[in-house]
Amino acid sequence: MEDFWSGVGVDLHLDPDSARGRRAGLERALRDAVRDGRLVPGTRLPATRRLAAELGMSRGTAKAAYDQLVAEGYLRARQGSGTEVAARPADRVPAASGTAGAPAPRLDLRPGSPDVGAFPAAAWLRALRRAIATAPSMAYDYGDPRGRAELRTALSEYLGRARGVIAPPERIVITSGYVQGLALLTRVLDGGVVAMEDPGLPFHRDVVRRAGGRVVPLAVDELGVRATELGDEDAVVVTPAHQYPTGVTLHPERRRALVDWARARGRLIVEDDYDGEFRYDRQPVGALQGMAPGHVVYLGTASKTLGPALRLGWMVLPPNLVDAVADVKLHSDHHTESIGQLALAELVTSHAYDRHVRACRLRYRRRRDRLVSLLGARWGLRGIAAGLHALVEVPDEAEVLERAAREGLAVGRLGDHWHTAADGRPQGLVVGYGTPRERVYPEALEVLGRVLGEVRRGRASTG
């Protein structure tokens, strides 16, 4: 007969084979549960008294079964802590070979991440508590695919105030980050031809392709994307506030050219405002969306301001795309998780989010200044007025990266961002000064400076 037993809060399905006798049947059931992984090492088992009562056998029989499996090495009896599943040599699986098992670099200056150690845990916990305390019971049910009204309302005010975005709540769709927003939009466009910045992030190009789109390159120079080179593409994806990876800000004339193209051809601009809150040496650059809200999809995220683990992003859509995007999202994941949305809404409306962004802006500016102080006089630095990364011009990416790897330092490479590899492309390092924890950032910079110095001296000696 099949039984369910529980103990110390754990339920487990067992099938003792009574035909073999009660003790032997229990031993086999427990042994099989350990072998096939239903009982993992460290799992505490119920006391023999409780197990015996639930399986309808004597306590002595249950204890004898435990003792036998302890002797065989399947279980471990700990004085005062009961009995638990033991770790056996067969359970220790060697690490997989290849990149999946590659150790993390000791020092990490790769771009793409903020200092996650600066996550405002205390403020988030307060916001979460307040949100849960006031949330209606329906907040725990399936929700609107567009997202919680509380967060869409909070973002409407914040984005208008901080980024110049025209964002009525009914035109906002909450997503699980920028990547989901880009994929949803590509699907709504039924694939189509999407122009993307060259250089730009390869992963984002892959997202568009996997969603059915066809990607074409759009060149970037010191003024940003060359908008006049656009033709009959269905959409263009741009990072106007702080181009990734060159760091340039889209020139006002290029902005106007983009908007003119979209209006004249009835096309779409996708604005990736991934780190628009972080600016240092200039006045805030408003979002492009404010110039043409009927032709621009604004994509933002909490990944750079708070942390990627939250998986919270937002789309501000032209009116004619809201229903289509919501429908695709409904059939993709139904809706983004709700409790985090409520907490973020509370964080925004209480202005704790603004305070956190200002604190981060000051922290990252100090980091940027240290980078400029170390390299600015000797190496070409670009994109330092804003954001979380800078581009360092170098003569040979491969040589620098090889030397850096020997020192345990990882850094981004400009060459990885071109649509196609070709000789004569500019070379550089994409340095993410937001990534390291505060305590290791000085060492990471020291190693970077030493590596670049070695490269320069080596070239001088052979020149």
Side-chain angles (χ1 to χ4, degrees):
M1 180 178 71
E2 293 187 353
D3 291 280
F4 288 88
W5 58 270
S6 63
V8 294
V10 176
D11 291 338
L12 181 71
H13 178 75
L14 283 179
D15 184 14
D17 186 354
S18 57
R20 294 173 174 267
R22 287 182 176 272
R23 172 182 164 180
L26 177 58
E27 288 176 9
R28 179 181 179 184
L30 286 169
R31 192 181 292 112
D32 289 347
V34 173
R35 284 172 172 168
D36 64 22
R38 287 181 289 127
L39 280 175
V40 299
T43 301
R44 284 189 62 190
L45 300 184
T48 53
R49 186 186 304 277
R50 176 175 295 176
L51 177 63
E54 294 191 3
L55 294 183
M57 61 179 60
S58 70
R59 183 185 180 190
T61 298
K63 185 176 186 306
Y66 274 16
D67 289 345
Q68 178 61 33
L69 292 177
V70 168
E72 293 178 10
Y74 286 94
L75 304 181
R76 179 175 61 171
R78 302 180 62 185
Q79 187 67 30
S81 300
T83 304
E84 65 182 32
V85 178
R88 300 182 299 130
D91 296 322
R92 302 188 184 101
V93 179
S97 60
T99 58
R106 185 174 64 88
L107 301 169
D108 196 348
L109 285 173
R110 290 174 295 187
S113 177
D115 179 1
V116 295
F119 180 80
W124 181 262
L125 183 59
R126 287 192 296 269
L128 188 60
R129 285 172 172 165
R130 285 194 293 266
I132 291 177
T134 58
S137 59
M138 292 302 293
Y140 302 96
D141 202 348
Y142 293 106
D144 188 332
R146 295 175 302 167
R148 293 292 307 181
E150 296 91 336
L151 180 55
R152 290 188 285 118
T153 300
L155 287 172
S156 176
E157 185 274 336
Y158 172 78
L159 293 174
R161 167 172 54 82
R163 301 296 300 127
V165 177
I166 300 172
E170 64 272 13
R171 286 170 48 188
I172 297 176
V173 172
I174 305 302
T175 66
S176 299
Y178 169 83
V179 166
Q180 186 187 41
L182 183 60
L184 292 174
L185 191 60
T186 305
R187 290 174 59 188
V188 167
L189 294 174
D190 195 21
V193 180
V194 181
M196 302 187 75
E197 296 170 329
D198 188 19
L201 193 64
F203 180 66
H204 290 173
R205 298 196 289 268
D206 291 341
V207 169
V208 171
R209 293 188 183 107
R210 285 174 178 263
R214 183 165 71 88
V215 174
V216 296
L218 182 62
V220 173
D221 59 25
E222 66 278 2
L223 301 181
V225 294
R226 296 177 182 172
T228 55
E229 296 181 4
L230 286 166
D232 291 328
E233 296 86 355
D234 297 285
V236 57
V237 182
V238 293
T239 51
H242 189 233
Q243 200 276 331
Y244 186 87
T246 67
V248 302
T249 299
L250 188 61
H251 191 275
E253 290 185 4
R254 298 281 177 89
R255 285 182 163 227
R256 286 190 291 271
L258 267 180
V259 170
D260 290 344
W261 168 81
R263 285 174 172 159
R265 296 176 179 263
R267 300 304 196 229
L268 201 63
I269 301 169
V270 182
E271 179 176 13
D272 177 4
D273 197 31
Y274 68 101
D275 64 1
E277 288 93 343
F278 301 122
R279 72 275 180 181
Y280 313 118
D281 299 329
R282 67 182 190 207
Q283 292 298 313
V285 176
L288 179 68
Q289 190 265 5
M291 296 177 63
H295 293 276
V296 179
V297 175
Y298 176 90
L299 297 180
T301 174
S303 294
K304 300 300 184 292
T305 53
L306 293 173
L310 295 182
R311 306 314 305 141
L312 287 172
W314 42 89
M315 310 173 72
V316 182
L317 296 155
N320 63 308
L321 290 180
V322 175
D323 290 343
V325 169
D327 182 69
V328 172
K329 183 165 173 56
L330 174 67
H331 292 87
S332 173
D333 67 353
H334 203 300
H335 66 97
T336 299
E337 66 88 20
S338 297
I339 306 306
Q341 292 187 54
L342 293 173
L344 181 56
E346 172 64 30
L347 205 69
V348 172
T349 55
S350 67
H351 299 297
Y353 186 77
D354 288 83
R355 292 190 292 273
H356 172 70
V357 168
R358 288 196 297 270
C360 286
R361 191 181 298 145
L362 180 61
R363 178 184 300 109
Y364 293 139
R365 175 168 185 159
R366 287 197 296 262
R367 291 190 178 195
R368 190 283 312 260
D369 289 348
R370 294 189 68 160
L371 177 65
V372 172
S373 177
L374 176 70
L375 304 178
R378 290 169 292 173
W379 299 88
L381 282 179
R382 297 172 60 186
I384 60 174
L388 300 178
H389 77 274
L391 182 64
V392 183
E393 298 175 355
V394 297
D396 188 336
E397 294 171 353
E399 181 182 2
V400 176
L401 291 172
E402 182 180 346
R403 289 178 179 268
R406 290 201 296 265
E407 298 273 0
L409 172 67
V411 66
R413 169 180 174 162
L414 177 60
D416 294 334
H417 295 78
W418 300 105
H419 282 238
T420 56
D423 294 336
R425 298 275 200 184
Q427 299 199 42
L429 306 179
V430 188
V431 179
Y433 52 82
T435 304
R437 306 295 82 81
E438 195 74 29
R439 61 183 175 80
V440 300
Y441 181 64
E443 183 184 1
L445 277 192
E446 178 185 348
V447 172
L448 176 63
R450 184 166 65 246
V451 166
L452 290 174
E454 291 172 354
V455 170
R456 172 160 287 182
R457 287 191 295 272
R459 287 185 167 267
S461 64
T462 59

